Amino acid sequence: MLKITGEIEVSPDKSISHRALMISAISEGTSRIKNFLNADDCISTMNCLKNLGIDITNKKDEVIVRGKGLKLQEPKKVLDAGNSGTTVRLLSGILAGQEFITKITGDESLSRRPMKRIVEPLERMGANINTNNGCLPIEIKGGNLKPINYESKISSAQLKSCVLLAGLYADNITGFTEPEKSRDHTERMLKNFGAEVFVNWNTVSVRGKAKLRATDVFVPGDISSAAFFIVAAAIVKNSKLKIKNVGINSTRVGIVDVLRRMGSHLSIENKKEVGNEPMGDIIIESSDLISTEIKKEEIPFLIDEIPVIAVAATQSNGITKITGAKELRVKETDRLSAISTELKKMGADITELEDGLIIKGPTKLKGATVNSYKDHRIAMSLAIASLVAEGNTEIIDKECVNISFPEFWNILGKITK
Ligand code: S3P
């Protein structure tokens, strides 16, 4: 019988890697980023910044960014954000503060994703923006921003970060409030680089005309990547896995709370804080799981983990209900539709709701040919489902894991005994 065992590290955090590049770029002086995520999405950010005149050296053990201060150089060509929503949305905040015109495109998936959410606050701050019906390509003419207090209808760290980064270019204080608090890496990092940031749970403000100072950044392991192996060890009988140096920022650990509620044996050891971000070793053992309910308030803390939580739910006793997760429909693919369609092909009992999923378990899954829709998190979730399925599973376009976790297949091979 197959089991999951060993001691591993997972890929560095994607959200923090993007932010480290962008915030270093607009700081004064040289920043070194250790344990940077060299995956497609973060390389898209790196290339965009190079085209904006930033000198970046990507060495084996660190990335060196020679920051230019808030003012960047007009790019000679259209910027390409590839598959990365974080690249376009965060960078747009910075570009709204520049006195030149920038055009950004992306791949087919990114070109379908909504950009109106960033256009609205940035235009209120004074930027001029053209889109293709609210989608990419986007053209930003920035400069002369004024501060706003933005009340967002959606909880989104990308949108919050966009507004805060633009706020660095405005006079006085720019504020952002969201219904539920989203991941707070931007706030933490801006403080490290010397910005004045005020946090009152789901309201964050920043003082503009900031002078950021270069700082070194260490990027912890990505809990959203660890999530796949955490669920693998939770659902494959007789498993025990240690994942070292994982970021355990309280705005990211929803998966840990959910799995504990489901009865999994999970502990965190060796906790420490590196550069204002907490990190620890996660130890997980298999156990009998029970169903749970996940509601809107919890969604931002586990937004990227829902597809793999759905896989865990297929192996849990009872009915798991996830609601308030409409945002999943506008990720790299419609993740609610993708995960329910593909897990159904493997025999799961799943019903798609407009804003969530209902999953009845436990089900003995069977191998099938399934589609990743070129979405890295769908591909990895289906790979974890295949570990508890009878027979072979083939995942179409499985190389899309390179977007966030190039080592995924390698590590999976090593811990599967
Ligand atoms: C991210 C925020 C989340 C998340 C994405 C990365 C970030 O998106 O899904 O993978 O780095 O800020 P939203 O802010 O759009 O929810």
Side-chain angles (χ1 to χ4, degrees), residues 74-85:
E74 182 166 2
K76 293 200 175 66
K77 53 183 191 182
V78 175
L79 303 184
D80 183 1
N83 190 249
S84 173

Side-chain angles (χ1 to χ4, degrees), residues 80-315:
D80 183 1
N83 190 249
S84 173
T86 311
T87 306
V88 200
R89 296 200 179 114
L90 270 63
L91 202 56
S92 296
I94 293 173
L95 293 171
Q98 312 297 327
E99 269 151 30
F100 48 77
I101 300 176
T102 317
K103 190 170 178 182
I104 315 176
T105 57
D107 72 3
E108 212 187 308
S109 149
L110 190 57
S111 302
R112 283 193 300 264
R113 296 180 65 186
M115 295 301 150
K116 255 205 184 114
R117 55 183 64 191
I118 57 165
V119 173
E120 207 184 283
L122 293 179
E123 284 194 330
R124 269 184 53 193
M125 294 178 82
N128 281 309
I129 303 182
N130 289 316
T131 63
N132 173 21
N133 273 324
C135 292
L136 294 184
I138 186 171
E139 210 171 65
I140 304 174
K141 162 91 177 70
N144 268 332
L145 297 188
K146 48 182 185 298
I148 55 167
N149 275 311
Y150 196 69
E151 297 262 347
S152 173
K153 289 194 187 70
I154 54 169
S155 300
S156 161
Q158 293 184 353
L159 174 54
K160 169 174 64 180
S161 305
C162 170
V163 173
L164 293 177
L165 290 169
L168 295 173
Y169 293 84
D171 291 317
N172 295 321
I173 291 180
T174 294
F176 181 90
T177 303
E178 55 192 339
E180 260 77 48
K181 187 180 175 72
S182 61
R183 66 188 65 185
D184 65 359
H185 305 299
T186 303
E187 298 88 298
R188 286 171 185 253
M189 198 179 289
L190 280 175
K191 278 186 192 165
N192 282 1
F193 278 77
E196 254 187 281
V197 183
F198 314 92
V199 180
N200 187 359
W201 191 239
N202 58 336
T203 297
V204 185
S205 328
V206 67
R207 189 184 294 281
K209 302 287 179 209
K211 202 169 180 170
L212 304 180
R213 287 184 311 267
T215 304
D216 293 349
V217 179
F218 179 86
V219 183
D222 197 327
I223 191 159
S224 297
S225 296
F228 301 104
F229 300 135
I230 294 174
V231 169
I235 63 175
V236 176
K237 299 267 172 282
N238 301 316
S239 296
K240 182 168 181 181
L241 185 68
K242 183 175 196 171
I243 312 175
K244 292 172 76 174
N245 299 325
V246 182
I248 47 168
N249 176 316
S250 57
T251 60
R252 297 287 299 280
V253 291
I255 174 98
V256 170
D257 299 334
V258 164
L259 282 174
R260 280 186 174 146
R261 282 208 303 271
M262 294 172 90
S264 81
H265 297 164
L266 188 155
S267 58
I268 304 179
E269 280 178 0
N270 197 17
K271 291 186 188 172
K272 53 190 166 223
E273 183 116 354
V274 184
N276 213 3
E277 286 284 352
M279 185 164 104
D281 300 344
I282 297 181
I283 296 125
I284 173 100
E285 278 178 67
S286 54
S287 59
D288 289 335
L289 298 183
I290 51 167
S291 58
T292 190
E293 189 164 354
I294 303 175
K295 294 192 189 149
K296 191 168 178 264
E297 303 77 66
E298 215 176 354
I299 298 294
F301 290 1
L302 43 74
I303 183 90
D304 293 335
E305 286 67 78
I306 290 167
V308 78
I309 289 173
V311 173
T314 67
Q315 304 306 300

